Amino acid sequence: MADVLSEPQFQVLTHQYTGEKTGRIYFPALFLAEFHNSVIQWLQQQEIIFYEMDVKYYGDGSFRLYFRVNNPLE
């Protein structure tokens, strides 16, 4: 029997030399049903950069997003 996820699963990586941060996050359908407004607000942050081709949609209403963080070197 498959596990049903109810919380996002994510991974953020920081490049060793450039400091660029990239990541991926999976939003399960159960989480989206309850917290869709919070997810929309998070996705609209200017620091989160992604394109339509970076989103993978699943038949149950969940999706995975590959993104990078706009974090210029200081």
Coordinates of all heavy atoms in Angstrom, one line a residue:
M1 N 0.8 -1.2 0.0 CA 0.0 0.0 0.0 C 0.9 1.2 0.0 O 1.9 1.3 0.7 CB -0.9 0.0 1.2 CG -1.9 1.1 1.3 SD -2.7 1.0 2.8 CE -4.3 1.4 2.4
A2 N 0.6 2.2 -0.8 CA 1.4 3.4 -0.9 C 1.1 4.4 0.2 O -0.1 4.5 0.7 CB 1.1 4.1 -2.3
D3 N 2.1 5.1 0.6 CA 1.9 6.2 1.7 C 1.2 7.4 1.0 O 1.5 7.8 -0.1 CB 3.3 6.6 2.2 CG 3.9 5.5 3.1 OD1 3.2 4.7 3.6 OD2 5.1 5.5 3.2
V4 N 0.4 8.0 1.8 CA -0.3 9.3 1.4 C 0.4 10.4 2.1 O 0.3 10.4 3.4 CB -1.8 9.2 1.6 CG1 -2.4 10.6 1.3 CG2 -2.5 8.1 0.9
L5 N 1.0 11.3 1.4 CA 1.7 12.4 2.0 C 0.7 13.5 2.3 O -0.1 13.8 1.5 CB 2.8 12.9 1.1 CG 4.0 11.9 0.9 CD1 4.9 12.4 -0.1 CD2 4.7 11.5 2.2
S6 N 0.9 14.2 3.5 CA 0.0 15.3 3.8 C 0.8 16.6 4.1 O 0.2 17.6 4.4 CB -0.8 15.0 5.0 OG 0.0 14.7 6.1
E7 N 2.1 16.5 4.0 CA 3.0 17.6 4.2 C 4.0 17.7 3.0 O 4.4 16.7 2.4 CB 3.8 17.5 5.5 CG 2.9 17.5 6.7 CD 3.7 17.5 8.0 OE1 4.9 17.6 8.0 OE2 3.0 17.3 9.0
P8 N 4.4 19.0 2.7 CA 5.4 19.1 1.6 C 6.7 18.4 1.9 O 7.1 18.3 3.0 CB 5.6 20.6 1.5 CG 4.4 21.2 2.2 CD 4.0 20.2 3.2
Q9 N 7.3 17.9 0.8 CA 8.7 17.3 0.9 C 9.6 18.2 0.1 O 9.2 18.6 -1.0 CB 8.6 15.9 0.3 CG 7.6 15.0 0.9 CD 7.9 14.7 2.3 OE1 9.0 14.3 2.6 NE2 6.9 14.8 3.2
F10 N 10.7 18.7 0.6 CA 11.6 19.6 -0.1 C 13.0 19.3 0.2 O 13.4 18.6 1.1 CB 11.2 21.0 0.3 CG 11.5 21.4 1.7 CD1 12.7 21.9 2.1 CD2 10.6 21.1 2.7 CE1 13.0 22.2 3.4 CE2 10.9 21.4 4.0 CZ 12.1 22.0 4.4
Q11 N 13.8 19.9 -0.7 CA 15.3 19.8 -0.7 C 15.8 21.1 -1.3 O 15.4 21.5 -2.3 CB 15.8 18.6 -1.5 CG 17.3 18.4 -1.5 CD 17.7 17.2 -2.3 OE1 17.1 16.9 -3.3 NE2 18.8 16.6 -1.9
V12 N 16.8 21.7 -0.5 CA 17.4 22.9 -1.0 C 18.9 22.7 -1.0 O 19.5 22.2 0.0 CB 17.1 24.1 -0.1 CG1 17.8 25.4 -0.6 CG2 15.6 24.4 -0.2
L13 N 19.6 23.0 -2.1 CA 21.0 22.8 -2.2 C 21.7 24.1 -2.4 O 21.2 24.9 -3.2 CB 21.3 21.8 -3.4 CG 20.7 20.5 -3.3 CD1 20.9 19.7 -4.7 CD2 21.2 19.6 -2.2
T14 N 22.9 24.3 -1.8 CA 23.7 25.5 -2.0 C 25.0 25.1 -2.7 O 25.7 24.2 -2.3 CB 24.0 26.1 -0.7 OG1 22.8 26.4 0.0 CG2 24.8 27.4 -0.9
H15 N 25.2 25.7 -3.9 CA 26.4 25.4 -4.7 C 27.6 25.8 -3.8 O 27.7 26.9 -3.2 CB 26.4 26.2 -6.0 CG 27.5 25.8 -6.9 ND1 28.8 26.2 -6.8 CD2 27.4 24.9 -8.0 CE1 29.5 25.7 -7.8 NE2 28.7 24.9 -8.5
Q16 N 28.6 24.9 -3.8 CA 29.8 25.1 -2.9 C 30.6 26.3 -3.2 O 31.1 27.0 -2.3 CB 30.7 23.8 -3.1 CG 31.9 23.9 -2.2 CD 32.7 22.6 -2.4 OE1 32.3 21.6 -3.0 NE2 33.9 22.6 -1.9
Y17 N 30.7 26.7 -4.5 CA 31.6 27.8 -4.9 C 30.8 29.1 -5.2 O 31.3 30.2 -4.8 CB 32.4 27.4 -6.1 CG 33.3 26.2 -5.9 CD1 33.0 25.0 -6.5 CD2 34.3 26.3 -5.0 CE1 33.8 23.9 -6.2 CE2 35.1 25.2 -4.7 CZ 34.9 24.0 -5.3 OH 35.6 22.9 -5.1
T18 N 29.7 29.0 -5.8 CA 28.9 30.2 -6.2 C 27.9 30.6 -5.1 O 27.5 31.8 -5.1 CB 28.1 30.0 -7.5 OG1 27.1 29.0 -7.3 CG2 29.1 29.6 -8.6
G19 N 27.5 29.7 -4.3 CA 26.5 30.0 -3.3 C 25.1 30.0 -3.8 O 24.1 30.3 -3.1
E20 N 24.9 29.7 -5.1 CA 23.6 29.7 -5.7 C 22.7 28.6 -5.0 O 23.2 27.5 -4.8 CB 23.6 29.4 -7.2 CG 22.3 29.4 -7.8 CD 22.3 29.1 -9.3 OE1 23.1 28.2 -9.7 OE2 21.6 29.7 -10.0
K21 N 21.5 28.9 -4.7 CA 20.6 28.0 -4.0 C 19.6 27.5 -5.0 O 18.9 28.3 -5.7 CB 19.9 28.6 -2.8 CG 20.9 29.0 -1.7 CD 20.2 29.6 -0.5 CE 21.3 30.0 0.5 NZ 20.7 30.6 1.6
T22 N 19.4 26.2 -5.1 CA 18.4 25.6 -6.0 C 17.7 24.6 -5.1 O 18.2 24.1 -4.1 CB 19.0 24.9 -7.2 OG1 20.0 23.9 -6.7 CG2 19.7 25.9 -8.1
G23 N 16.5 24.2 -5.6 CA 15.7 23.3 -4.8 C 14.6 22.7 -5.5 O 14.3 23.0 -6.7
R24 N 13.9 21.8 -4.8 CA 12.7 21.2 -5.3 C 11.7 21.0 -4.2 O 12.2 20.8 -3.0 CB 12.9 19.9 -6.1 CG 13.5 18.8 -5.2 CD 13.8 17.6 -6.0 NE 14.4 16.6 -5.1 CZ 14.8 15.5 -5.5 NH1 14.8 15.1 -6.8 NH2 15.4 14.6 -4.7
I25 N 10.5 21.1 -4.4 CA 9.5 20.9 -3.4 C 8.3 20.2 -4.0 O 7.9 20.5 -5.1 CB 9.1 22.3 -2.7 CG1 8.2 22.1 -1.6 CG2 8.5 23.2 -3.8 CD1 8.0 23.3 -0.7
Y26 N 7.8 19.3 -3.3 CA 6.6 18.5 -3.7 C 5.4 18.9 -2.8 O 5.5 18.9 -1.5 CB 6.8 17.0 -3.6 CG 5.6 16.2 -3.8 CD1 5.1 16.0 -5.0 CD2 5.0 15.6 -2.7 CE1 3.9 15.3 -5.2 CE2 3.8 14.8 -2.9 CZ 3.3 14.7 -4.1 OH 2.2 13.9 -4.3
F27 N 4.3 19.4 -3.4 CA 3.2 19.8 -2.6 C 2.1 18.7 -2.8 O 1.5 18.6 -3.9 CB 2.6 21.1 -3.1 CG 3.5 22.3 -2.7 CD1 4.2 23.0 -3.7 CD2 3.5 22.8 -1.4 CE1 5.0 24.0 -3.3 CE2 4.2 23.9 -1.1 CZ 5.0 24.5 -2.0
P28 N 1.8 17.9 -1.8 CA 0.8 16.9 -2.0 C -0.6 17.5 -2.0 O -0.9 18.5 -1.5 CB 0.9 16.0 -0.7 CG 1.8 16.7 0.2 CD 2.5 17.8 -0.5
A29 N -1.5 16.8 -2.7 CA -2.9 17.3 -2.9 C -3.6 17.5 -1.5 O -4.3 18.5 -1.4 CB -3.7 16.2 -3.7
L30 N -3.4 16.7 -0.5 CA -4.0 16.9 0.8 C -3.5 18.2 1.4 O -4.3 19.0 2.0 CB -3.7 15.8 1.7 CG -4.4 14.5 1.4 CD1 -3.9 13.4 2.4 CD2 -5.9 14.6 1.6
F31 N -2.3 18.5 1.3 CA -1.7 19.8 1.8 C -2.3 21.0 1.0 O -2.7 22.0 1.6 CB -0.2 19.8 1.7 CG 0.4 21.0 2.3 CD1 0.7 21.1 3.6 CD2 0.8 22.1 1.5 CE1 1.2 22.3 4.2 CE2 1.4 23.2 2.0 CZ 1.6 23.3 3.3
L32 N -2.4 20.9 -0.3 CA -2.9 22.0 -1.1 C -4.4 22.3 -0.8 O -4.8 23.4 -0.8 CB -2.7 21.6 -2.6 CG -1.3 21.6 -3.1 CD1 -1.2 21.0 -4.5 CD2 -0.7 23.0 -3.1
A33 N -5.1 21.2 -0.5 CA -6.5 21.4 -0.2 C -6.7 22.3 1.0 O -7.6 23.1 1.1 CB -7.2 20.1 0.0
E34 N -5.8 22.2 2.0 CA -6.0 23.0 3.2 C -5.2 24.3 3.2 O -5.7 25.3 3.8 CB -5.5 22.1 4.4 CG -5.8 22.8 5.7 CD -5.5 21.8 6.9 OE1 -5.4 20.6 6.7 OE2 -5.5 22.3 8.0
F35 N -4.1 24.3 2.6 CA -3.2 25.5 2.6 C -2.9 26.1 1.3 O -1.8 26.7 1.1 CB -1.8 25.0 3.3 CG -2.0 24.5 4.7 CD1 -1.9 23.2 4.9 CD2 -2.2 25.4 5.7 CE1 -2.0 22.7 6.2 CE2 -2.4 24.9 7.0 CZ -2.3 23.5 7.3
H36 N -3.8 26.1 0.4 CA -3.6 26.6 -1.0 C -3.2 28.1 -1.0 O -2.4 28.5 -1.7 CB -4.7 26.3 -1.9 CG -6.0 26.9 -1.6 ND1 -6.9 26.3 -0.7 CD2 -6.6 28.0 -2.0 CE1 -7.9 27.1 -0.5 NE2 -7.8 28.2 -1.3
N37 N -3.9 28.9 -0.1 CA -3.5 30.3 0.0 C -2.1 30.5 0.4 O -1.4 31.4 -0.1 CB -4.5 31.0 0.9 CG -5.9 31.2 0.3 OD1 -6.0 31.2 -0.9 ND2 -6.9 31.2 1.1
S38 N -1.6 29.8 1.4 CA -0.2 29.9 1.8 C 0.8 29.5 0.7 O 1.8 30.2 0.5 CB 0.0 29.0 3.0 OG -0.8 29.4 4.1
V39 N 0.4 28.5 0.0 CA 1.3 28.0 -1.1 C 1.3 29.1 -2.2 O 2.4 29.4 -2.7 CB 0.8 26.7 -1.7 CG1 1.6 26.3 -3.0 CG2 0.9 25.6 -0.7
I40 N 0.2 29.7 -2.5 CA 0.2 30.8 -3.5 C 1.0 32.0 -3.1 O 1.8 32.5 -3.9 CB -1.3 31.2 -3.8 CG1 -2.0 30.1 -4.5 CG2 -1.3 32.5 -4.6 CD1 -3.5 30.3 -4.6
Q41 N 0.9 32.3 -1.8 CA 1.8 33.4 -1.3 C 3.2 33.1 -1.4 O 4.1 33.9 -1.8 CB 1.4 33.8 0.1 CG 0.0 34.5 0.2 CD -0.4 34.7 1.7 OE1 0.3 34.3 2.6 NE2 -1.5 35.4 1.9
W42 N 3.6 31.9 -1.1 CA 5.0 31.5 -1.1 C 5.5 31.5 -2.6 O 6.6 32.0 -2.8 CB 5.2 30.0 -0.5 CG 6.6 29.6 -0.5 CD1 7.5 29.9 0.4 CD2 7.2 28.7 -1.4 NE1 8.7 29.3 0.1 CE2 8.6 28.6 -1.0 CE3 6.8 28.1 -2.6 CZ2 9.5 27.8 -1.7 CZ3 7.8 27.3 -3.3 CH2 9.1 27.2 -2.8
L43 N 4.7 31.0 -3.5 CA 5.1 31.0 -4.9 C 5.3 32.4 -5.5 O 6.0 32.6 -6.5 CB 4.1 30.2 -5.7 CG 4.1 28.7 -5.5 CD1 2.9 28.1 -6.2 CD2 5.4 28.0 -5.8
Q44 N 4.6 33.4 -4.9 CA 4.6 34.7 -5.5 C 5.8 35.6 -4.9 O 6.0 36.7 -5.3 CB 3.3 35.5 -5.2 CG 2.2 34.9 -6.0 CD 0.8 35.5 -5.6 OE1 0.7 36.1 -4.6 NE2 -0.1 35.4 -6.5
Q45 N 6.6 35.0 -4.0 CA 7.8 35.7 -3.5 C 8.8 36.0 -4.6 O 9.0 35.2 -5.5 CB 8.5 34.9 -2.5 CG 7.7 34.7 -1.2 CD 8.5 33.9 -0.2 OE1 9.5 34.4 0.3 NE2 8.2 32.7 0.0
Q46 N 9.3 37.2 -4.6 CA 10.3 37.5 -5.7 C 11.6 36.7 -5.6 O 12.3 36.6 -6.6 CB 10.6 39.0 -5.6 CG 9.4 39.9 -6.1 CD 9.8 41.4 -6.1 OE1 10.8 41.8 -5.6 NE2 8.8 42.2 -6.5
E47 N 11.9 36.2 -4.4 CA 13.1 35.4 -4.3 C 13.0 34.0 -4.9 O 14.0 33.4 -5.1 CB 13.4 35.3 -2.8 CG 13.8 36.6 -2.1 CD 12.6 37.4 -1.6 OE1 11.4 36.8 -1.6 OE2 12.7 38.5 -1.3
I48 N 11.8 33.5 -5.1 CA 11.6 32.2 -5.7 C 11.4 32.4 -7.2 O 10.5 33.0 -7.7 CB 10.3 31.5 -5.1 CG1 10.4 31.5 -3.6 CG2 10.1 30.2 -5.7 CD1 11.5 30.7 -3.0
I49 N 12.4 31.7 -7.9 CA 12.4 31.9 -9.4 C 12.1 30.5 -10.0 O 12.8 29.5 -9.7 CB 13.7 32.4 -9.9 CG1 14.0 33.8 -9.3 CG2 13.8 32.5 -11.4 CD1 15.4 34.3 -9.5
F50 N 11.1 30.4 -10.9 CA 10.8 29.2 -11.6 C 10.0 29.6 -12.8 O 9.5 30.7 -13.0 CB 10.0 28.2 -10.7 CG 8.7 28.7 -10.3 CD1 7.5 28.4 -11.0 CD2 8.5 29.5 -9.2 CE1 6.3 28.8 -10.7 CE2 7.3 29.9 -8.8 CZ 6.2 29.6 -9.5
Y51 N 9.9 28.6 -13.8 CA 9.2 28.8 -15.0 C 8.2 27.6 -15.1 O 8.3 26.6 -14.4 CB 10.1 28.8 -16.2 CG 11.2 29.9 -16.1 CD1 12.5 29.7 -15.6 CD2 10.8 31.2 -16.4 CE1 13.4 30.7 -15.5 CE2 11.8 32.2 -16.3 CZ 13.0 32.0 -15.8 OH 13.9 33.0 -15.7
E52 N 7.3 27.8 -16.0 CA 6.2 26.7 -16.2 C 6.8 25.4 -16.4 O 6.3 24.4 -16.0 CB 5.3 27.1 -17.3 CG 4.1 26.2 -17.6 CD 3.1 26.1 -16.4 OE1 2.9 27.1 -15.7 OE2 2.5 25.0 -16.3
M53 N 7.9 25.3 -17.2 CA 8.6 24.0 -17.5 C 9.2 23.4 -16.2 O 9.6 22.2 -16.2 CB 9.6 24.2 -18.6 CG 10.8 25.0 -18.2 SD 11.9 25.2 -19.6 CE 13.3 26.0 -18.9
D54 N 9.3 24.2 -15.1 CA 9.9 23.7 -13.9 C 8.8 23.0 -13.0 O 9.2 22.6 -11.9 CB 10.5 24.8 -13.1 CG 11.7 25.4 -13.9 OD1 12.4 24.7 -14.6 OD2 11.9 26.7 -13.7
V55 N 7.6 22.9 -13.4 CA 6.5 22.4 -12.6 C 6.1 21.1 -13.3 O 5.9 21.0 -14.5 CB 5.3 23.4 -12.6 CG1 4.2 22.8 -11.7 CG2 5.7 24.7 -12.1
K56 N 6.0 20.0 -12.4 CA 5.5 18.8 -12.9 C 4.2 18.5 -12.1 O 4.1 18.5 -10.9 CB 6.4 17.6 -12.6 CG 5.9 16.3 -13.0 CD 6.9 15.2 -12.9 CE 6.3 13.9 -13.4 NZ 7.3 12.8 -13.3
Y57 N 3.1 18.4 -12.9 CA 1.7 18.1 -12.3 C 1.4 16.6 -12.3 O 1.8 15.9 -13.2 CB 0.7 18.9 -13.1 CG 0.9 20.3 -13.2 CD1 1.5 20.9 -14.3 CD2 0.4 21.2 -12.2 CE1 1.7 22.3 -14.4 CE2 0.6 22.5 -12.2 CZ 1.2 23.1 -13.4 OH 1.4 24.4 -13.4
Y58 N 0.7 16.2 -11.2 CA 0.3 14.8 -11.1 C -1.2 14.8 -11.1 O -1.9 15.7 -10.8 CB 0.8 14.3 -9.7 CG 2.3 14.2 -9.7 CD1 3.1 15.2 -9.1 CD2 3.1 13.2 -10.3 CE1 4.4 15.2 -9.0 CE2 4.4 13.2 -10.3 CZ 5.1 14.2 -9.6 OH 6.5 14.2 -9.6
G59 N -1.7 13.6 -11.5 CA -3.1 13.4 -11.7 C -4.0 13.6 -10.4 O -5.2 13.8 -10.5
D60 N -3.4 13.5 -9.2 CA -4.2 13.6 -8.0 C -4.3 15.1 -7.5 O -4.9 15.3 -6.5 CB -3.6 12.8 -6.9 CG -2.2 13.2 -6.5 OD1 -1.6 14.1 -7.1 OD2 -1.6 12.6 -5.5
G61 N -3.7 16.0 -8.3 CA -3.8 17.4 -7.9 C -2.5 17.9 -7.3 O -2.4 19.1 -7.0
S62 N -1.6 17.1 -7.0 CA -0.3 17.5 -6.4 C 0.6 18.0 -7.5 O 0.4 17.8 -8.7 CB 0.3 16.3 -5.6 OG 0.6 15.2 -6.5
F63 N 1.7 18.6 -7.1 CA 2.7 19.0 -8.1 C 4.1 19.1 -7.4 O 4.2 19.3 -6.2 CB 2.4 20.3 -8.8 CG 2.4 21.6 -7.9 CD1 3.5 22.3 -7.8 CD2 1.3 22.0 -7.2 CE1 3.6 23.5 -7.1 CE2 1.3 23.1 -6.4 CZ 2.5 23.9 -6.4
R64 N 5.1 19.0 -8.3 CA 6.5 19.2 -7.9 C 7.1 20.4 -8.6 O 6.8 20.6 -9.8 CB 7.4 17.9 -8.2 CG 8.8 18.1 -7.8 CD 9.6 16.8 -8.1 NE 9.0 15.6 -7.5 CZ 9.1 15.2 -6.3 NH1 9.7 15.9 -5.4 NH2 8.5 14.1 -5.9
L65 N 7.8 21.2 -7.9 CA 8.4 22.4 -8.4 C 9.9 22.5 -8.2 O 10.4 22.2 -7.1 CB 7.7 23.6 -7.7 CG 8.4 25.0 -8.0 CD1 8.0 25.4 -9.4 CD2 7.8 26.0 -7.0
Y66 N 10.6 22.7 -9.3 CA 12.0 22.9 -9.3 C 12.3 24.4 -9.3 O 11.7 25.1 -10.2 CB 12.7 22.2 -10.4 CG 12.6 20.7 -10.3 CD1 11.5 20.1 -10.9 CD2 13.5 20.0 -9.7 CE1 11.4 18.7 -10.8 CE2 13.4 18.6 -9.6 CZ 12.3 18.0 -10.2 OH 12.2 16.6 -10.1
F67 N 13.1 25.0 -8.4 CA 13.2 26.4 -8.4 C 14.6 26.8 -8.0 O 15.4 26.0 -7.6 CB 12.2 27.0 -7.3 CG 12.5 26.5 -5.9 CD1 13.3 27.3 -5.0 CD2 11.9 25.4 -5.4 CE1 13.6 26.8 -3.8 CE2 12.2 24.9 -4.1 CZ 13.0 25.6 -3.3
R68 N 14.9 28.1 -8.1 CA 16.2 28.6 -7.6 C 15.8 29.9 -6.8 O 14.7 30.4 -6.9 CB 17.2 28.9 -8.7 CG 16.9 30.0 -9.6 CD 18.0 30.0 -10.7 NE 17.6 31.1 -11.6 CZ 18.1 32.3 -11.6 NH1 19.0 32.6 -10.7 NH2 17.7 33.2 -12.5
V69 N 16.7 30.2 -5.9 CA 16.5 31.4 -5.0 C 17.3 32.5 -5.5 O 18.6 32.3 -5.7 CB 16.8 31.0 -3.5 CG1 16.6 32.2 -2.6 CG2 16.0 29.8 -3.1
N70 N 16.7 33.7 -5.6 CA 17.4 34.9 -6.0 C 18.2 35.4 -4.8 O 17.6 36.1 -4.0 CB 16.5 35.9 -6.6 CG 17.2 37.1 -7.2 OD1 18.4 37.1 -7.4 ND2 16.4 38.1 -7.4
N71 N 19.4 35.0 -4.7 CA 20.2 35.4 -3.5 C 21.6 35.9 -4.0 O 22.6 35.1 -4.0 CB 20.4 34.2 -2.6 CG 21.0 34.5 -1.3 OD1 21.2 35.7 -1.0 ND2 21.5 33.5 -0.6
P72 N 21.7 37.1 -4.5 CA 23.0 37.6 -5.1 C 24.1 37.6 -4.0 O 23.8 37.8 -2.8 CB 22.6 39.0 -5.5 CG 21.4 39.4 -4.8 CD 20.7 38.1 -4.5
L73 N 25.3 37.4 -4.5 CA 26.4 37.4 -3.6 C 26.6 38.8 -3.1 O 26.5 39.8 -3.8 CB 27.7 36.9 -4.3 CG 27.7 35.5 -4.8 CD1 28.9 35.2 -5.6 CD2 27.6 34.6 -3.6
E74 N 27.0 38.9 -1.8 CA 27.1 40.2 -1.2 C 28.6 40.6 -1.2 O 29.5 39.9 -1.1 CB 26.6 40.2 0.2 CG 25.1 39.9 0.2 CD 24.5 39.9 1.6 OE1 25.0 40.6 2.5 OE2 23.6 39.2 1.8

